[in-house]
Amino acid sequence: MNDRPDTVVLVHGLWMTPRSWEHWVTHYEARGFRVLTPAYPGFEVEVEALRADPTPIAEADIVATIDHLASVVRSVDTPPIIMGHSFGGALTQMLLARGLGAAGVAIDSAPTEGVRVNPVSQVKSLFPALNNPAKRHQAVGFTAEQFHYAFTNTLDAEASQAAYDRYAIAAPGKWVWDYGLIANFKPGHQETWVDYSADRAPLLFIAGAEDHIMPPSVNRSNYKHYKKSPALTEYVELEGRDHWTCAAPGWEAVADQALDWAVEHAQPLRSTAG
């Protein structure tokens, strides 16, 4: 039996599909890992199909999504490494909170409930989804210009347009409203709450110093919420990296740093059977 996890589960964020991990899949497979890139329920079709009919996006349910991702993780014989980008980072935290995974990495993570930092660049990035309450019931997309500001601000206009053309879809307006704006003001725990004091698998936060939509201050605040947990939690901030860090030039170093940390700190393997 190998003494390290042999599988990596990559969880995509909002305004994206599993296609956003295409380079990481081949990169990690070349390093000898099995790689799974589960889609949110309804997002299993290609980018072009979701653009043509965004109904599955508008109707996406976060509880069903977490349950689906948990079933994928549990389907692996031994606990895998779980990595998520943006809202996938928040989902990664929620999966670890369920006792899943050997280690987790949250990259440019969206905040879980209780993180109350809202930098100006984040407000500006999310404004196209929050400028009309009717969008809470819609699939909300960025224009190419808005995508350039929120996701790819370290790229030139041509490179940003290419990324937008290949990867961008709309996002569930309800998720942006409910978990990015309202969750901290509703009584009781919401779907993105985690027990920050509980034990779980090791977790690394990777933040990009130039990230507009999920700036370092958001990720640092999220990281500090775990200070009472006995589990290993670490934070690293990468200079010159924006929200598109998983595909922008130099992404290989980010991928290697995430995987090396996860392998080094992964919990001892145990079977997930039963």
Side-chain angles (χ1 to χ4, degrees):
M1 178 178 175
N2 202 334
D3 61 356
R4 69 172 193 180
D6 62 3
T7 301
V8 181
V9 178
L10 299 174
V11 183
H12 66 87
L14 300 186
W15 290 282
M16 290 289 139
T17 72
R19 183 187 287 181
S20 62
W21 292 114
E22 59 183 343
H23 300 306
W24 286 47
V25 171
T26 54
H27 190 72
Y28 283 171
E29 287 177 342
R31 289 189 56 173
F33 289 85
R34 176 192 183 205
V35 185
L36 304 178
T37 58
Y40 303 168
F43 287 51
E44 297 87 353
V45 297
E46 282 294 351
V47 167
E48 292 76 13
L50 287 169
R51 288 174 181 161
D53 178 12
T55 302
I57 301 173
E59 296 177 348
D61 179 84
I62 192 168
V63 174
T65 298
I66 298 170
D67 288 345
H68 170 65
L69 296 173
S71 72
V72 172
V73 173
R74 289 193 180 99
S75 73
V76 181
D77 288 340
T78 55
I81 293 166
I82 305 172
M83 297 184 188
H85 176 250
S86 196
F87 203 83
L91 292 167
T92 295
Q93 295 179 60
M94 288 181 265
L95 292 170
L96 264 58
R98 291 189 178 195
L100 300 173
V105 181
I107 304 166
D108 298 338
S109 184
T112 42
E113 184 181 334
V115 178
R116 298 175 180 272
V117 178
N118 298 110
V120 173
S121 71
Q122 184 183 55
V123 174
K124 180 177 178 180
S125 296
L126 295 175
F127 186 71
L130 299 174
N131 61 3
N132 185 338
K135 293 183 177 178
R136 186 169 179 267
H137 306 289
Q138 302 172 5
V140 183
F142 286 135
T143 65
E145 182 179 2
Q146 291 164 347
F147 182 82
H148 194 183
Y149 179 81
F151 272 67
T152 54
N153 45 292
T154 68
L155 304 184
D156 62 28
E158 182 179 3
S160 178
Q161 183 69 52
Y164 180 82
D165 291 343
R166 175 146 183 82
Y167 299 104
I169 62 168
K174 177 177 173 57
W175 292 21
V176 180
W177 274 82
D178 286 7
Y179 310 116
L181 184 67
I182 299 174
N184 287 330
F185 301 99
K186 293 178 71 173
H189 296 314
Q190 309 304 307
E191 289 84 352
T192 56
W193 177 83
V194 299
D195 182 354
Y196 293 108
S197 65
D199 200 5
R200 47 147 176 77
L203 172 63
L204 173 66
F205 284 87
I206 295 179
E210 305 303 322
D211 190 339
H212 279 172
I213 193 169
M214 295 298 163
S217 58
V218 174
N219 281 262
R220 277 197 304 270
S221 176
N222 201 157
Y223 155 71
K224 290 177 180 177
H225 274 65
Y226 286 105
K227 62 184 178 183
K228 293 184 179 179
S229 172
L232 176 65
T233 312
E234 294 188 355
Y235 171 87
V236 63
E237 189 171 314
L238 303 181
E239 294 297 324
R241 307 299 301 182
D242 63 11
H243 200 64
W244 197 237
T245 192
C246 297
W251 64 266
E252 297 92 338
V254 182
D256 287 338
Q257 184 170 358
L259 184 58
D260 290 345
W261 186 95
V263 170
E264 179 182 358
H265 297 288
Q267 289 182 331
L269 294 184
R270 62 189 187 283
S271 174
T272 56

Tab-separated table of all heavy atoms in Angstrom, residues 101-142:
chain	number	residue	atom	x	y	z
A	101	GLY	N	-11.268	13.741	3.352
A	101	GLY	CA	-10.001	14.158	2.786
A	101	GLY	C	-8.816	13.898	3.704
A	101	GLY	O	-8.941	13.850	4.930
A	102	ALA	N	-7.632	13.722	3.064
A	102	ALA	CA	-6.384	13.557	3.807
A	102	ALA	C	-5.705	14.897	4.042
A	102	ALA	O	-4.920	15.050	4.984
A	102	ALA	CB	-5.443	12.638	3.032
A	103	ALA	N	-5.993	15.868	3.192
A	103	ALA	CA	-5.482	17.234	3.315
A	103	ALA	C	-6.289	18.104	2.352
A	103	ALA	O	-6.859	17.588	1.377
A	103	ALA	CB	-3.995	17.320	2.983
A	104	GLY	N	-6.332	19.395	2.637
A	104	GLY	CA	-7.074	20.296	1.780
A	104	GLY	C	-6.283	21.543	1.454
A	104	GLY	O	-5.459	21.997	2.260
A	105	VAL	N	-6.533	22.090	0.261
A	105	VAL	CA	-5.920	23.359	-0.148
A	105	VAL	C	-7.029	24.251	-0.701
A	105	VAL	O	-7.755	23.849	-1.619
A	105	VAL	CB	-4.829	23.152	-1.216
A	105	VAL	CG1	-4.207	24.502	-1.575
A	105	VAL	CG2	-3.759	22.184	-0.724
A	106	ALA	N	-7.168	25.438	-0.114
A	106	ALA	CA	-8.166	26.417	-0.554
A	106	ALA	C	-7.430	27.561	-1.240
A	106	ALA	O	-6.676	28.298	-0.588
A	106	ALA	CB	-8.972	26.927	0.639
A	107	ILE	N	-7.623	27.697	-2.540
A	107	ILE	CA	-6.875	28.671	-3.344
A	107	ILE	C	-7.766	29.860	-3.671
A	107	ILE	O	-8.858	29.699	-4.239
A	107	ILE	CB	-6.380	28.003	-4.654
A	107	ILE	CG1	-5.545	26.756	-4.335
A	107	ILE	CG2	-5.570	29.000	-5.480
A	107	ILE	CD1	-5.305	25.867	-5.541
A	108	ASP	N	-7.333	31.062	-3.303
A	108	ASP	CA	-8.143	32.269	-3.537
A	108	ASP	C	-9.573	32.032	-3.063
A	108	ASP	O	-10.546	32.319	-3.779
A	108	ASP	CB	-8.159	32.638	-5.027
A	108	ASP	CG	-6.787	32.963	-5.575
A	108	ASP	OD1	-5.901	33.305	-4.772
A	108	ASP	OD2	-6.612	32.880	-6.807
A	109	SER	N	-9.692	31.521	-1.848
A	109	SER	CA	-10.976	30.979	-1.400
A	109	SER	C	-12.036	32.052	-1.177
A	109	SER	O	-11.757	33.131	-0.644
A	109	SER	CB	-10.779	30.205	-0.095
A	109	SER	OG	-11.985	29.585	0.316
A	110	ALA	N	-13.266	31.723	-1.558
A	110	ALA	CA	-14.420	32.488	-1.092
A	110	ALA	C	-14.584	32.238	0.399
A	110	ALA	O	-14.199	31.184	0.903
A	110	ALA	CB	-15.672	32.051	-1.855
A	111	PRO	N	-15.136	33.192	1.125
A	111	PRO	CA	-15.225	33.040	2.578
A	111	PRO	C	-16.341	32.099	2.992
A	111	PRO	O	-17.401	32.053	2.371
A	111	PRO	CB	-15.511	34.468	3.051
A	111	PRO	CG	-16.227	35.097	1.898
A	111	PRO	CD	-15.623	34.502	0.657
A	112	THR	N	-16.091	31.353	4.052
A	112	THR	CA	-17.151	30.640	4.733
A	112	THR	C	-17.858	31.610	5.678
A	112	THR	O	-17.380	32.733	5.914
A	112	THR	CB	-16.583	29.434	5.500
A	112	THR	OG1	-15.362	29.823	6.142
A	112	THR	CG2	-16.294	28.279	4.570
A	113	GLU	N	-18.986	31.183	6.220
A	113	GLU	CA	-19.794	32.079	7.051
A	113	GLU	C	-18.989	32.592	8.250
A	113	GLU	O	-18.245	31.850	8.877
A	113	GLU	CB	-21.031	31.328	7.552
A	113	GLU	CG	-21.985	32.208	8.345
A	113	GLU	CD	-23.194	31.415	8.850
A	113	GLU	OE1	-23.540	30.403	8.231
A	113	GLU	OE2	-23.759	31.820	9.870
A	114	GLY	N	-19.143	33.847	8.556
A	114	GLY	CA	-18.447	34.454	9.683
A	114	GLY	C	-17.303	35.353	9.273
A	114	GLY	O	-16.831	36.176	10.075
A	115	VAL	N	-16.825	35.238	8.043
A	115	VAL	CA	-15.765	36.107	7.535
A	115	VAL	C	-16.426	37.386	7.042
A	115	VAL	O	-17.234	37.354	6.116
A	115	VAL	CB	-14.970	35.419	6.407
A	115	VAL	CG1	-13.907	36.354	5.857
A	115	VAL	CG2	-14.364	34.113	6.902
A	116	ARG	N	-16.085	38.498	7.670
A	116	ARG	CA	-16.821	39.734	7.415
A	116	ARG	C	-15.991	40.802	6.709
A	116	ARG	O	-16.339	41.980	6.729
A	116	ARG	CB	-17.351	40.293	8.743
A	116	ARG	CG	-18.330	39.357	9.432
A	116	ARG	CD	-18.750	39.878	10.795
A	116	ARG	NE	-19.685	38.982	11.461
A	116	ARG	CZ	-21.006	39.029	11.320
A	116	ARG	NH1	-21.549	39.955	10.551
A	116	ARG	NH2	-21.782	38.171	11.948
A	117	VAL	N	-14.892	40.416	6.098
A	117	VAL	CA	-14.024	41.369	5.404
A	117	VAL	C	-14.511	41.539	3.968
A	117	VAL	O	-14.679	40.560	3.249
A	117	VAL	CB	-12.568	40.870	5.410
A	117	VAL	CG1	-11.668	41.824	4.656
A	117	VAL	CG2	-12.085	40.694	6.848
A	118	ASN	N	-14.731	42.771	3.566
A	118	ASN	CA	-15.225	43.054	2.209
A	118	ASN	C	-14.442	44.219	1.597
A	118	ASN	O	-14.903	45.351	1.585
A	118	ASN	CB	-16.715	43.392	2.234
A	118	ASN	CG	-17.575	42.258	2.753
A	118	ASN	OD1	-18.142	42.327	3.847
A	118	ASN	ND2	-17.672	41.183	1.988
A	119	PRO	N	-13.248	43.965	1.087
A	119	PRO	CA	-12.434	45.026	0.480
A	119	PRO	C	-13.139	45.673	-0.725
A	119	PRO	O	-14.015	45.074	-1.355
A	119	PRO	CB	-11.165	44.292	0.035
A	119	PRO	CG	-11.154	43.028	0.817
A	119	PRO	CD	-12.584	42.665	1.040
A	120	VAL	N	-12.713	46.875	-1.036
A	120	VAL	CA	-13.345	47.633	-2.116
A	120	VAL	C	-13.285	46.878	-3.443
A	120	VAL	O	-14.266	46.838	-4.193
A	120	VAL	CB	-12.666	49.020	-2.254
A	120	VAL	CG1	-13.190	49.749	-3.494
A	120	VAL	CG2	-12.909	49.856	-1.006
A	121	SER	N	-12.137	46.255	-3.730
A	121	SER	CA	-12.015	45.548	-5.017
A	121	SER	C	-12.985	44.375	-5.092
A	121	SER	O	-13.470	44.031	-6.177
A	121	SER	CB	-10.581	45.064	-5.231
A	121	SER	OG	-10.259	43.989	-4.369
A	122	GLN	N	-13.278	43.753	-3.955
A	122	GLN	CA	-14.240	42.651	-3.949
A	122	GLN	C	-15.651	43.169	-4.217
A	122	GLN	O	-16.411	42.585	-4.997
A	122	GLN	CB	-14.206	41.908	-2.613
A	122	GLN	CG	-15.110	40.693	-2.579
A	122	GLN	CD	-15.121	40.008	-1.229
A	122	GLN	OE1	-15.386	40.627	-0.203
A	122	GLN	NE2	-14.821	38.716	-1.225
A	123	VAL	N	-16.005	44.269	-3.560
A	123	VAL	CA	-17.332	44.858	-3.774
A	123	VAL	C	-17.496	45.246	-5.238
A	123	VAL	O	-18.537	44.974	-5.857
A	123	VAL	CB	-17.521	46.078	-2.853
A	123	VAL	CG1	-18.836	46.783	-3.172
A	123	VAL	CG2	-17.479	45.650	-1.385
A	124	LYS	N	-16.453	45.849	-5.820
A	124	LYS	CA	-16.516	46.243	-7.224
A	124	LYS	C	-16.635	45.014	-8.130
A	124	LYS	O	-17.403	45.020	-9.107
A	124	LYS	CB	-15.274	47.052	-7.603
A	124	LYS	CG	-15.261	47.496	-9.062
A	124	LYS	CD	-14.037	48.362	-9.375
A	124	LYS	CE	-14.032	48.754	-10.857
A	124	LYS	NZ	-12.851	49.600	-11.186
A	125	SER	N	-15.906	43.956	-7.799
A	125	SER	CA	-15.944	42.743	-8.619
A	125	SER	C	-17.329	42.097	-8.607
A	125	SER	O	-17.807	41.597	-9.632
A	125	SER	CB	-14.907	41.732	-8.111
A	125	SER	OG	-13.597	42.233	-8.252
A	126	LEU	N	-17.961	42.066	-7.420
A	126	LEU	CA	-19.242	41.372	-7.272
A	126	LEU	C	-20.441	42.256	-7.599
A	126	LEU	O	-21.574	41.748	-7.689
A	126	LEU	CB	-19.379	40.831	-5.843
A	126	LEU	CG	-18.371	39.743	-5.450
A	126	LEU	CD1	-18.533	39.377	-3.981
A	126	LEU	CD2	-18.534	38.501	-6.323
A	127	PHE	N	-20.207	43.556	-7.790
A	127	PHE	CA	-21.321	44.484	-8.018
A	127	PHE	C	-22.204	44.082	-9.196
A	127	PHE	O	-23.443	44.197	-9.104
A	127	PHE	CB	-20.785	45.904	-8.215
A	127	PHE	CG	-21.873	46.935	-8.310
A	127	PHE	CD1	-22.618	47.299	-7.189
A	127	PHE	CD2	-22.169	47.544	-9.528
A	127	PHE	CE1	-23.631	48.235	-7.279
A	127	PHE	CE2	-23.178	48.486	-9.629
A	127	PHE	CZ	-23.914	48.837	-8.502
A	128	PRO	N	-21.639	43.569	-10.301
A	128	PRO	CA	-22.524	43.167	-11.410
A	128	PRO	C	-23.544	42.094	-11.017
A	128	PRO	O	-24.583	41.972	-11.676
A	128	PRO	CB	-21.536	42.633	-12.455
A	128	PRO	CG	-20.270	43.357	-12.170
A	128	PRO	CD	-20.213	43.476	-10.679
A	129	ALA	N	-23.262	41.322	-9.964
A	129	ALA	CA	-24.231	40.310	-9.512
A	129	ALA	C	-25.133	40.829	-8.399
A	129	ALA	O	-26.186	40.245	-8.138
A	129	ALA	CB	-23.481	39.068	-9.019
A	130	LEU	N	-24.707	41.924	-7.755
A	130	LEU	CA	-25.435	42.413	-6.580
A	130	LEU	C	-26.172	43.729	-6.828
A	130	LEU	O	-26.798	44.265	-5.910
A	130	LEU	CB	-24.452	42.605	-5.406
A	130	LEU	CG	-23.723	41.345	-4.921
A	130	LEU	CD1	-22.681	41.713	-3.868
A	130	LEU	CD2	-24.716	40.328	-4.354
A	131	ASN	N	-26.112	44.222	-8.063
A	131	ASN	CA	-26.685	45.547	-8.319
A	131	ASN	C	-28.195	45.516	-8.564
A	131	ASN	O	-28.801	46.562	-8.781
A	131	ASN	CB	-25.984	46.221	-9.502
A	131	ASN	CG	-26.120	45.434	-10.797
A	131	ASN	OD1	-26.796	44.404	-10.834
A	131	ASN	ND2	-25.462	45.909	-11.840
A	132	ASN	N	-28.779	44.326	-8.535
A	132	ASN	CA	-30.221	44.208	-8.732
A	132	ASN	C	-30.724	42.966	-7.995
A	132	ASN	O	-30.285	41.850	-8.311
A	132	ASN	CB	-30.527	44.086	-10.228
A	132	ASN	CG	-32.016	44.083	-10.520
A	132	ASN	OD1	-32.840	43.777	-9.646
A	132	ASN	ND2	-32.375	44.406	-11.752
A	133	PRO	N	-31.626	43.117	-7.008
A	133	PRO	CA	-32.104	41.948	-6.249
A	133	PRO	C	-32.727	40.870	-7.134
A	133	PRO	O	-32.742	39.699	-6.752
A	133	PRO	CB	-33.144	42.563	-5.303
A	133	PRO	CG	-32.726	43.977	-5.144
A	133	PRO	CD	-32.161	44.374	-6.481
A	134	ALA	N	-33.224	41.242	-8.301
A	134	ALA	CA	-33.820	40.238	-9.200
A	134	ALA	C	-32.788	39.210	-9.651
A	134	ALA	O	-33.145	38.071	-9.995
A	134	ALA	CB	-34.435	40.932	-10.411
A	135	LYS	N	-31.505	39.587	-9.618
A	135	LYS	CA	-30.459	38.657	-10.053
A	135	LYS	C	-30.274	37.507	-9.083
A	135	LYS	O	-29.577	36.534	-9.400
A	135	LYS	CB	-29.146	39.412	-10.261
A	135	LYS	CG	-29.199	40.384	-11.434
A	135	LYS	CD	-27.858	41.066	-11.660
A	135	LYS	CE	-27.937	41.981	-12.894
A	135	LYS	NZ	-26.662	42.702	-13.126
A	136	ARG	N	-30.854	37.613	-7.885
A	136	ARG	CA	-30.791	36.500	-6.925
A	136	ARG	C	-31.449	35.245	-7.489
A	136	ARG	O	-31.151	34.136	-7.041
A	136	ARG	CB	-31.468	36.913	-5.618
A	136	ARG	CG	-31.347	35.903	-4.491
A	136	ARG	CD	-31.801	36.510	-3.178
A	136	ARG	NE	-31.706	35.531	-2.108
A	136	ARG	CZ	-32.699	34.728	-1.721
A	136	ARG	NH1	-33.873	34.824	-2.324
A	136	ARG	NH2	-32.534	33.860	-0.744
A	137	HIS	N	-32.313	35.426	-8.459
A	137	HIS	CA	-33.029	34.280	-9.031
A	137	HIS	C	-32.545	33.954	-10.447
A	137	HIS	O	-33.211	33.222	-11.176
A	137	HIS	CB	-34.530	34.584	-9.054
A	137	HIS	CG	-35.069	34.993	-7.714
A	137	HIS	ND1	-35.207	34.121	-6.666
A	137	HIS	CD2	-35.451	36.223	-7.246
A	137	HIS	CE1	-35.671	34.767	-5.608
A	137	HIS	NE2	-35.834	36.040	-5.929
A	138	GLN	N	-31.411	34.493	-10.824
A	138	GLN	CA	-30.924	34.334	-12.189
A	138	GLN	C	-29.510	33.744	-12.211
A	138	GLN	O	-28.826	33.691	-11.194
A	138	GLN	CB	-30.901	35.698	-12.895
A	138	GLN	CG	-32.240	36.402	-12.960
A	138	GLN	CD	-32.130	37.821	-13.488
A	138	GLN	OE1	-31.042	38.261	-13.892
A	138	GLN	NE2	-33.239	38.534	-13.495
A	139	ALA	N	-29.083	33.305	-13.391
A	139	ALA	CA	-27.679	33.021	-13.647
A	139	ALA	C	-27.036	34.334	-14.081
A	139	ALA	O	-27.496	34.975	-15.022
A	139	ALA	CB	-27.537	31.973	-14.743
A	140	VAL	N	-25.987	34.751	-13.364
A	140	VAL	CA	-25.413	36.080	-13.553
A	140	VAL	C	-24.008	35.961	-14.129
A	140	VAL	O	-23.110	35.388	-13.498
A	140	VAL	CB	-25.365	36.850	-12.222
A	140	VAL	CG1	-24.826	38.255	-12.445
A	140	VAL	CG2	-26.746	36.899	-11.582
A	141	GLY	N	-23.814	36.513	-15.320
A	141	GLY	CA	-22.508	36.459	-15.956
A	141	GLY	C	-21.771	37.774	-15.892
A	141	GLY	O	-22.352	38.831	-15.623
A	142	PHE	N	-20.463	37.698	-16.107
A	142	PHE	CA	-19.630	38.886	-16.256
A	142	PHE	C	-19.506	39.230	-17.741
A	142	PHE	O	-19.469	38.316	-18.584
A	142	PHE	CB	-18.219	38.638	-15.720
A	142	PHE	CG	-18.112	38.598	-14.215
A	142	PHE	CD1	-17.376	37.603	-13.585
A	142	PHE	CD2	-18.714	39.568	-13.424
A	142	PHE	CE1	-17.262	37.572	-12.206
A	142	PHE	CE2	-18.597	39.552	-12.048
A	142	PHE	CZ	-17.868	38.545	-11.429
